[in-house]
Amino acid sequence: MFSATKILTATAISFVLFASCGHSDTGEAEARKLLTEAQTALENGDAKLSLSLLDSLDSRFAKYVSVRRDGINLRARAQERYFLREIEMADSLAAVLAVRVDSIKNTRLRWVNEPMEGYYIAEGSELPPTGVEGRLTPEGEFFMVSSLQGHSISHTAVSLSDGTGKSARSADVAYDGEANRRSGANERIYFAGEGIDTVGHFAFENRRGPLTLSFEGNTVYSRPLTAGELENLATVYEYAWSLRQMKVAALRHESLERKLDIARQQVARTTPDKSASSDNQR
């Protein structure tokens, strides 16, 4: 009876160990399969997929250190390929944006001299007594001026709407005698920064119109936005947006170059020295 119990216990332990080893072998095989798929993806030119498969390998099979170690060089080479492609895309976008910026500046904008500081507006644009005008600083930053005459409502904001429920509103600019000026029945506000960016973007996205312009203060005064006002807003905003995206692309290029350099260093560190291996075999 005692011997039978011992035999049964030993058999159970052996079964557990066998099952555990079998599961371990299966897990390592799956990990190796992921590694092979990542290698194949890179060979086929899909560095992004290769990196995604390597991420899965690290997260799902963290305990198989030897398999993950074999993927270190592969990851570095995939990153190198991926960053090179991203740099190409960033540079291509920057080139397209540069052509657009030059085209707009040379054919659709005109410079207005002012005693304090000049600005750019769209060709043919002129600020009406009651209306709005988009402008660009010498550095290409978008801002807007609103002018309201004969309607003393102490307006602090403006908005655009398309008649279907979609609209964009500026930030409020409180009366201060500078950015928000009043003289009798004449009111003028200079909007700048993020507080007016939404209005410029809305005009750009809806440049075919029609749109309604509203001055918001103690009450609201509205009228149709003229085709000239809309074209001016859309044009100067497009220029400012394109210029910002060029700067973003340039910063991304610099960031990717640093990442590429790190990846290349990793490739160099983890690539086996074939000459050293040959010397050892002699």
Side-chain angles (χ1 to χ4, degrees), residues 109-159:
L109 297 180
R110 68 181 175 89
W111 176 254
V112 177
N113 277 314
E114 287 286 332
M116 295 296 292
E117 184 177 65
Y119 54 87
Y120 290 99
I121 57 174
E123 282 285 358
S125 175
E126 184 175 350
L127 178 64
T130 294
V132 292
E133 183 177 68
R135 298 178 180 179
L136 294 164
T137 67
E139 295 76 27
E141 296 177 1
F142 174 73
F143 69 104
M144 192 184 81
V145 181
S146 67
S147 177
L148 182 61
Q149 290 188 12
H151 304 276
S152 300
I153 64 171
S154 301
H155 82 288
T156 58
V158 294
S159 64

Side-chain angles (χ1 to χ4, degrees), residues 4 13 46 53 139 162 175 210 222 252:
I13 293 173
D46 196 339
L53 290 169
E139 295 76 27
D162 66 357
Y175 173 70
S222 300
R252 178 163 172 73

Side-chain angles (χ1 to χ4, degrees), residues 21-22 63 144 169-170 184 201 208 217 220 231 237 250 254 257:
C21 291
K63 69 178 181 179
M144 192 184 81
R169 184 183 186 277
S170 72
H201 181 75
R208 293 185 178 182
V220 176
E231 180 59 27
Y237 180 82
E254 294 177 6
E257 283 284 3

Side-chain angles (χ1 to χ4, degrees), residues 3 27 51 72 136 149 164 177 188 206 220 261 264 273:
S3 298
L51 289 169
I72 292 176
L136 294 164
Q149 290 188 12
T164 67
R188 178 169 293 198
N206 298 274
V220 176
D261 185 55
R264 284 175 168 168
D273 189 341

Side-chain angles (χ1 to χ4, degrees), residues 31-44 46-55 57 67-82 263 266-267 270-272:
R32 286 286 175 190
K33 183 174 181 292
L34 267 180
L35 183 61
T36 301
E37 290 175 355
Q39 175 68 47
T40 301
L42 183 60
E43 291 172 354
N44 291 335
D46 196 339
K48 186 175 182 179
L49 175 59
S50 180
L51 289 169
S52 177
L53 290 169
L54 290 170
D55 287 341
L57 173 63
V67 181
R68 294 171 58 207
R69 186 183 297 117
D70 291 342
I72 292 176
N73 179 261
L74 176 60
R75 179 182 290 279
R77 288 186 288 116
Q79 287 176 332
E80 179 183 23
R81 188 83 60 85
Y82 175 77
Q266 183 76 343
V267 170
T270 58
T271 300

